[in-house]
Amino acid sequence: MSGPRHATLAAGRWETFTLAQQLGNVGSEVSRALRWRGKDQKLFDGAMERALELLDLSIRDPRWKHRLKELTRARELLCDAWLGGREYSSDLEGLNRYFFNFALAARS
């Protein structure tokens, strides 16, 4: 098994980001996944794996322990969307809009 795709972030750099920055970065990977969906399965899966890895780093960030319910729910919906939205009818377009708002907040 390989190590984390975002080794420097997993080593602690991620915890220097605000929550908006973290979730905005997750959204960047969701956006990339949308771009590759139906075109290149390997690139699509890679973007989804990176999105989940970044979201897992946020879930492990002790500053957000009071936000665990929201973060783990977002992870659950992201996994559901990846698998076609069978459980919760979630889709990548909706999650992309959700995460995009954090990217906008991070810039302000």
Side-chain angles (χ1 to χ4, degrees):
M1 184 172 180
S2 63
R5 291 174 183 247
H6 298 95
T8 59
L9 295 176
R13 186 167 165 250
W14 190 250
E15 294 180 6
T16 66
F17 293 174
T18 66
L19 182 61
Q21 289 171 320
Q22 290 180 358
L23 296 182
N25 278 288
V26 173
S28 292
E29 296 299 342
V30 171
S31 179
R32 285 186 187 95
L34 271 171
R35 186 177 328 135
W36 291 113
R37 184 176 62 185
K39 297 176 185 168
D40 188 316
Q41 188 66 38
K42 184 176 178 182
L43 291 176
F44 171 76
D45 288 340
M48 290 300 292
E49 289 171 5
R50 290 188 301 275
L52 287 172
E53 180 184 344
L54 293 176
L55 195 50
D56 286 343
L57 290 174
S58 293
I59 290 168
R60 288 197 302 260
D61 190 327
R63 294 176 298 165
W64 317 135
K65 65 181 179 184
H66 62 289
R67 308 285 299 263
L68 274 180
K69 186 174 182 179
E70 179 181 359
L71 293 169
T72 55
R73 181 71 175 149
R75 189 186 198 290
E76 190 174 16
L77 292 174
L78 189 57
C79 289
D80 182 59
W82 192 358
L83 298 173
R86 294 182 200 120
E87 188 72 27
Y88 304 111
S89 300
S90 57
D91 58 48
L92 290 179
E93 289 82 0
L95 289 165
N96 191 44
R97 286 190 299 274
Y98 171 77
F99 287 116
F100 183 72
N101 288 316
F102 288 101
L104 288 177
R107 290 182 182 179
S108 60

